[in-house]
Amino acid sequence: MHISKSFIPILKNNPSEAKIKSHQLMLRVGMIKQSSAGIYSWLPLGFKVMKKIEKIVREEQNKIGAQEILMPTIQSSEIWKESGRYEDYGEEMLRIKDRQDREMLYGPTNEELVTDIFRSSIKSYKSLPQLLYHIQWKFRDEIRPRFGIMRCREFYMKDAYSFDVTDEDALFSYNKFFLSYLKTFKRLDLTAIPMAADTGPIGGNLSHEFIILAETGESKIYADKRIFDLNFEGTKLDVKSLLEMRSQYEKFYSVTDDKFKEDEFNEKVSEKNRLKTKGIEVGHIFYFGDKYSKPMEAAVDLPGGKKDYVKMGSYGIGVSRLVGAIIEAKYDEKNEIMKWPISVAPYDIAIIPMINKNDTSALDKANKISLELNQNNIDAIIDDTDENLSSKVKKMNLIGAPYQIIIGKQTEGDLFEFKEINKETQKINLKEIIKIINKQKAQN
Ligand code: 5CA
């Protein structure tokens, strides 16, 4: 891709309306454009990153046996009246009427809709467990949308729902999602810590928020620092391994604001291990038993001939919020350098040829390299403008492709000036460059 033909509307300076670094960078490099308060269009650079995050989220859902569906954004109020949430949900729900005067709504979450889908087809315990998920736009009429796509009104979410016969089975499902969340965030190069949390309008009595540390985060958190050192690698997807993994996490105090009690914190955590800070909630999981299945009569036949309401949980990941969360975690604001983890980078590498008016040889070389990289599944962006080297490097530092090649005076034969963003330059040939990048990609 040539930058001159790309739709990457880069601004010279940070936009003044943005208060936090992710919002600044996303506007600055043209990843998003606000269309109205809390509602955004995703431009190519931002959309590419979000789609790559979505792919990782999807792969990890599939690995635990969850099945992907797609539910609509617009729902009927009927099912929400059945569950009793139509009134409870309040002003965050965008309510609309169709031409027949029917009450509809733009889905803020899908517990009711998925329960309706479930009950229409699944009648026996033999078909359980069922883990269903979808990745779809949601709308919540937030009272104070802010920080760009971090707290907006229309956002992209992965929401999953589990259906089981017993509380025990349901806990097994809950733990599968718990592990898959740890793995998902790790692949995004984030350390997300599970914290005991309130259940709010979703309901139930067991819930964890997955939080990444960031000063600009909206969630206050209180934790025993040692929780950061836990290792979940190697946990198998069986009941026992998952319980052991969960109990490791339960050993260490980690809660969000609404669960926090000063006395308990001081008693359970020694002074040197106490962490009071802020974070960004990137995922949230809930167990709520028959809160929806009972009023909506989603029951299955049990072995002895009896029937019982299914036990349900729901599991959300803020796919669009994650774009901002990764920037908060990785962007070096002072030096204006972004380094995307290669798993989600909009481009794997930036090629920066020094172009003189009468001499296109550097650009020709860049095009050739790009082609060869492409054939090796490496996605490159070429700065084909005639700006000077330092402004080109600055621009690419903002875009944040994890690697750069500079083609200029220093280029000798087939040795290129190659560097990982923010690191030392080395002179190596294209074969080695391909090897380095593909090795890095394979690790994610
Ligand atoms: N039904 C449950 C689980 S599927 C649910 O809706 N959970 S939630 O309310 O916690 O949302 C799930 C995730 O969506 C959150 O962890 C957060 O990452 C993201 N999210 C929630 N509200 C917003 C918002 N206004 N803007 C951006 N992302 C949001």
Side-chain angles (χ1 to χ4, degrees), residues 2 9-10 41 43 81 91 156 222 228 248 301 367 414:
H2 285 167
I10 297 185
S41 297
L43 306 184
K81 286 178 181 161
E91 292 193 304
Y156 203 43
Y222 306 84
F228 286 86
Q248 263 199 85
D301 296 327
N367 288 334
D414 60 355

Side-chain angles (χ1 to χ4, degrees), residues 109 111 140 142 150 152 157 159 281 284 286 314-316 318:
T109 176
E111 280 78 8
R140 293 183 187 169
E142 297 274 351
M150 295 291 250
C152 48
M157 194 211 278
D159 38 327
E281 177 201 323
H284 198 164
F286 303 82
S314 73
Y315 314 88

Side-chain angles (χ1 to χ4, degrees), residues 85 89 92 108-111 138-140 142 145-146 148-161 181 199 201-202 209-210 280-286 288 292 313-322:
R85 265 209 302 187
Y89 214 92
E92 263 192 23
T109 176
N110 283 48
E111 280 78 8
K138 303 287 181 296
F139 194 93
R140 293 183 187 169
E142 297 274 351
R146 59 190 180 143
I149 48 81
M150 295 291 250
R151 178 163 299 280
C152 48
R153 298 201 295 167
E154 191 183 44
F155 59 97
Y156 203 43
M157 194 211 278
K158 185 285 297 177
D159 38 327
Y161 303 87
Y181 276 33
T199 53
I202 308 293
E209 286 182 12
F210 287 74
I280 301 166
E281 177 201 323
V282 286
H284 198 164
I285 60 178
F286 303 82
F288 40 73
Y292 300 89
S314 73
Y315 314 88
I317 290 184
V319 177
S320 50
R321 177 180 285 182
L322 270 165

Side-chain angles (χ1 to χ4, degrees), residues 386-400:
D386 52 15
E387 288 166 30
N388 64 37
L389 182 64
S390 95
S391 79
K392 282 182 172 182
V393 171
K394 268 190 189 155
K395 200 190 312 168
M396 288 305 185
N397 283 348
L398 279 175
I399 289 175

